[in-house]
Amino acid sequence: MNDYQLIVIGAGPGGYTAALRAAKLGLKTAVVEAREAGGTCLNRGCVPTKTLLHSSEAYKAATASAGIGVHVEGARADMGEIFAYKRHISQTLSQGVESLLKGAKVPLLHGRAQITAPHAVRVTASDGTAADYTADNILVATGSVPARPPIPGLDLPGVMTSDELLEGADHLYQSIIIIGGGVIGVEFATFYAELGCAVTVIEGMDRLLPNMDRELGQNLALILKKQNVQVFTSSMVKNVEKTADGFTVNFTTKDAPNAASGEAVLCAIGRKPYCEDLFADGLAPEMNGKSLKVDGRYQTSVEGVYAIGDVSSRIQLAHVAAAQGVACVEMLCGVEDHTNMDVVPSCIYCRPEIAVVGITDAEAKEQGIPVKVGKCVMGANARTLIADPGRSFMKVVAHAESGEILGAQLMCPNATDMISQLGEAIANHMTARQLLLAMRPHPTFEEALSDALNDLCAKLAK
């Protein structure tokens, strides 16, 4: 008889959520974690980044409020205190995860896990002592780590990834160069710009947020430029050099030489799955590029070993990992009805916020799907006029023949809190007309969704 029915490797959102669900379903479960409970999301990713953005938003509100009749004298941003607040939030949530596991009678085994054979895990503690455990099934939820492409100079001391940046700084940088205009890059650009730091963003593709609707990235670039952020797109970094005052990043913009200098450099080019030394020699799972290859039930090629989240998924989001973890555990227990994995919301906490779900009209065109798009530019929306967040809009994509909602792109305050209703509509095959039946309160940002849906229904009727 094995020690456990399930051993989960990794206590991030995917791992701890899966473990809690497994325990509730009656499986004897343990979790292995080499670092803090909560994983990257709670300690080095989503939550600390959003905590920093909360601080920078408060600072900007305090220092840029004269136009609405509020005058604040002597406001200052204390980086030591900002990062201390960030650590407090992460530690509180991490301790909360530990309490949840303890309450569910799920042991948290501290150490680095290695799968030594099917159904066998060795846990090596920080002092070098090791213990071996067996399990009916093993669930890998080891997540991802920041990627460092082989660009000369990216390994220089002081060139940071998000992990190093989130450890904190004792002062506010006067200037920072951010390599990468994806989600991580634009969120940190927002944070530093709101604190008054000179920010430069360098992106290799033709727009910011290149994997999203074109208008989102283009609109964000305009807003950032109004905040004195220098944005270079279609720009490829050649190297990074150390200087007396900081760093110089050399790059080409449409093949023309260019350079930017700053006190600090953040490499925000993306993340890669983390499975280093996870499997013992002679135990080689099938890979899908750098990710663990899994089937429709999250099983790897190694007997009894499953994988969820960033380590095996092309979509690296905490809520995806959590949903996959629950689905995997439920399937092991014979439950087949889960969250729809084809409807994934994505959120970016820039200003204004961005939230998307489903497909864009461009993606629909590539797939040969006839669509209509309803849109509302929110200049006349009362809450938008009051808050003045910059150009905001909502777009809703529907099948041109059935009217079924297929996607939505929101760029406005509170977008991240509103996107779920569009996800629900897609998951339940609702039409634009059906979603329009719901009354939306005034004055809210959400009113603009009714305007976008009305525009969409008018186009569908033609």
Side-chain angles (χ1 to χ4, degrees):
M1 183 176 179
N2 290 320
D3 298 319
Y4 295 99
Q5 290 171 288
L6 179 68
I7 290 179
V8 180
I9 301 175
Y16 79 73
T17 303
L20 292 171
R21 182 59 177 154
K24 191 170 185 179
L25 291 171
L27 298 184
K28 185 181 180 183
T29 305
V31 177
V32 185
E33 175 56 57
R35 301 181 69 175
E36 311 93 338
T40 294
C41 179
L42 265 61
N43 299 287
R44 297 171 298 282
C46 321
V47 170
T49 304
K50 280 55 178 180
T51 306
L52 295 182
L53 283 163
H54 179 69
S55 294
S56 66
E57 182 180 32
Y59 176 78
K60 184 179 179 183
T63 56
S65 57
I68 60 173
V70 178
H71 301 269
V72 179
E73 302 296 332
R76 64 184 180 88
D78 186 303
M79 294 300 281
E81 294 177 1
I82 287 174
F83 277 92
Y85 176 62
K86 183 271 300 181
R87 286 190 291 273
H88 166 71
I89 296 298
S90 292
Q91 289 167 1
T92 299
L93 291 171
S94 180
Q95 291 165 3
V97 171
E98 291 190 20
S99 296
L100 288 172
L101 292 172
K102 184 176 181 181
K105 295 181 172 56
V106 175
L108 182 58
L109 309 176
H110 292 280
R112 190 166 298 279
Q114 184 178 65
I115 300 170
T116 54
H119 311 289
V121 176
R122 175 168 295 162
V123 179
T124 303
S126 57
D127 62 3
T129 58
D132 292 303
Y133 302 91
T134 58
D136 297 348
N137 295 294
I138 299 166
L139 177 59
V140 176
T142 48
S144 61
V145 294
R148 280 186 189 263
I151 297 173
L154 278 190
D155 57 351
L156 285 169
V159 176
M160 302 173 289
T161 66
S162 56
D163 278 9
E164 288 87 39
L165 188 150
L166 287 169
E167 289 176 2
D170 58 0
H171 70 285
L172 175 63
Y173 299 124
Q174 295 299 307
S175 55
I176 186 169
I177 304 165
I178 299 174
I179 303 172
V183 176
I184 297 171
V186 300
E187 287 188 346
F188 279 116
T190 300
F191 169 70
Y192 280 106
E194 288 183 336
L195 294 179
C197 174
V199 179
T200 301
V201 178
I202 304 170
E203 167 57 43
M205 301 296 284
D206 64 347
R207 64 187 187 276
L208 299 180
L209 306 175
N211 295 324
M212 292 189 171
D213 180 85
R214 178 174 293 275
E215 188 175 0
L216 296 172
Q218 292 174 335
N219 194 49
L220 179 58
L222 292 173
I223 290 172
L224 287 174
K225 287 175 182 177
K226 287 182 179 178
Q227 298 174 356
N228 298 317
V229 174
Q230 292 191 75
V231 177
F232 295 93
T233 55
S234 300
S235 299
M236 302 302 296
V237 174
K238 296 302 180 182
N239 61 60
V240 179
E241 298 176 336
K242 188 77 176 75
T243 65
D245 300 322
F247 300 90
T248 294
V249 177
N250 297 298
F251 58 99
T252 58
T253 302
K254 297 180 179 178
D255 296 326
N258 214 332
S261 295
E263 182 182 353
V265 174
L266 170 65
C267 176
I269 298 179
R271 300 181 65 85
K272 61 181 181 180
Y274 182 69
C275 49
E276 183 179 347
D277 297 325
L278 178 62
F279 292 87
D281 292 341
L283 197 63
E286 287 187 43
M287 304 296 289
N288 186 6
K290 295 182 180 180
S291 304
L292 290 175
K293 185 177 182 179
V294 296
D295 62 17
R297 303 181 73 80
Y298 306 102
Q299 184 160 8
T300 71
S301 61
V302 179
E303 178 190 342
V305 178
Y306 298 77
I308 52 97
D310 290 10
V311 75
S312 61
S313 175
R314 64 179 180 84
I315 304 176
Q316 297 180 332
L317 294 170
H319 47 279
V320 171
Q324 289 178 344
V326 169
C328 179
V329 166
E330 289 183 341
M331 282 190 280
L332 288 174
C333 295
V335 180
E336 298 294 334
D337 189 18
H338 323 289
T339 300
N340 187 332
M341 298 297 174
D342 295 325
V343 184
V344 178
S346 297
C347 301
I348 306 174
Y349 295 82
C350 48
R351 316 275 190 237
E353 292 180 348
I354 292 173
V356 303
V357 68
I359 63 174
T360 66
D361 55 333
E363 290 169 336
K365 185 177 180 180
E366 290 175 1
Q367 298 174 32
I369 302 172
V371 295
K372 298 288 186 179
V373 180
K375 182 176 178 180
C376 174
V377 177
M378 297 168 62
N381 175 269
R383 284 292 304 281
T384 305
L385 191 63
I386 293 166
D388 191 22
R391 182 178 181 272
S392 301
F393 64 89
M394 295 187 183
K395 293 167 70 173
V396 184
V397 181
H399 196 288
E401 297 167 1
S402 67
E404 183 178 324
I405 294 173
L406 302 178
Q409 300 84 44
L410 314 183
M411 187 170 186
C412 61
N414 299 351
T416 60
D417 295 311
M418 291 187 280
I419 197 64
S420 290
Q421 64 177 294
L422 280 309
E424 291 166 7
I426 296 169
N428 290 287
H429 306 285
M430 293 177 65
T431 65
R433 179 59 62 186
Q434 288 172 327
L435 194 55
L436 193 55
L437 293 175
M439 186 184 300
R440 294 174 176 83
H442 173 80
T444 62
F445 298 111
E446 192 180 1
E447 280 182 289
L449 180 56
S450 292
D451 294 331
L453 290 168
N454 272 314
D455 181 52
L456 177 55
C457 288
K459 291 175 179 176
L460 289 168
K462 292 181 180 179

